[in-house]
Amino acid sequence: MNEIENIDSAIETLTGKLLVAMPGMGDPLFAHAVVFLCAHDDEQAMGLIINKPLAELTLSEMFEQLGIANGSGSLPDLPICFGGPVEQGRGFVLHETSYAQGDAGHAGRLEVDDTFAMTATLDILDDIAQGEGPDQAIVALGYAGWGRGQLESEIAQNAWLICEAAPDLVFNVDMPRKWEAALAKLGIDPILLSAQAGRA
């Protein structure tokens, strides 16, 4: 038992990092995915896929469904991402920490690190609709979750690469280019990586 505890205590947290799917990823939901890890500890991990936009749903349609009035006249050009297969009816907003909610305080807000925060309440969507939301944000439906030891096992099996989460990469790179951009940040050519993954 002590041995297991020692192994667990040695696990380095990956909170605030990006997981970049390897070309051989077996699960099609995570093929070419870039996942921002909002939380990771010995017991579990939770993240948002940040490069798979939902073509069938726009921000204005989402607000209409939620009964949120658009008070700003024009909405920011924020795509809605497939955040992951867990709780796909629930919304999450990944944003920079400089955004501060008003009277709602920090309810439902997770401070990931000094740069990123994640909020899962309607208050932030109201603020976006009123033109008072975060300057940079990604709206996601659903999230990716891992149980104890599951993510560590996938990383050990070379399913994921780990990349630093720079705000420019997270928020400003076009969705279709984000996977390649994350690999480039790691100094990896995706063409060479695909060739290596395809070898028997």
Side-chain angles (χ1 to χ4, degrees):
M1 185 71 177
N2 287 341
E3 224 173 82
I4 294 172
E5 286 175 354
N6 288 339
I7 291 169
D8 287 342
S9 64
I11 293 173
E12 180 185 352
T13 181
L14 299 176
T15 299
K17 307 279 190 192
L18 295 177
L19 297 177
V20 185
M22 288 285 280
M25 171 65 69
D27 188 337
L29 291 177
F30 291 97
H32 291 93
V34 178
V35 181
F36 180 90
L37 276 178
C38 300
H40 172 240
D41 59 26
D42 294 345
E43 295 297 322
Q44 60 193 349
M46 178 269 180
L48 300 174
I49 299 174
I50 59 169
N51 68 326
K52 291 185 178 279
L54 293 171
E56 66 273 15
L57 184 64
T58 66
L59 194 61
S60 59
E61 288 169 344
M62 180 193 224
F63 285 169
E64 192 175 328
Q65 290 176 13
L66 294 171
I68 296 174
N70 177 10
S72 65
S74 64
L75 291 173
D77 185 22
L78 293 179
I80 299 172
C81 284
F82 166 70
V86 185
E87 291 192 53
Q88 293 182 50
R90 189 174 174 200
F92 303 87
V93 181
L94 178 66
H95 56 91
E96 88 280 7
T97 52
S98 61
Y99 161 72
Q101 287 171 286
D103 297 335
H106 294 287
R109 174 167 165 154
L110 172 67
E111 298 286 340
V112 177
D113 54 27
D114 292 339
T115 306
F116 299 97
M118 189 269 294
T119 302
T121 63
L122 287 176
D123 298 314
I124 190 169
L125 296 179
D126 276 323
D127 283 354
I128 290 171
Q130 304 307 317
E132 299 170 357
D135 291 332
Q136 294 185 303
I138 291 174
V139 180
L141 289 180
Y143 68 91
W146 293 264
R148 183 183 178 90
Q150 188 180 359
L151 178 58
E152 291 76 12
S153 174
E154 291 180 12
I155 292 171
Q157 293 167 24
N158 294 319
W160 300 101
L161 295 170
I162 299 161
C163 178
E164 293 296 324
D168 190 55
L169 174 59
V170 171
F171 295 119
N172 297 331
V173 175
D174 292 339
M175 297 282 174
R177 291 187 51 252
K178 207 166 280 188
W179 183 74
E180 288 88 351
L183 289 177
K185 188 173 174 61
L186 291 169
I188 297 171
D189 184 334
I191 295 174
L192 296 177
L193 192 63
S194 296
Q196 289 171 356
R199 288 181 188 152

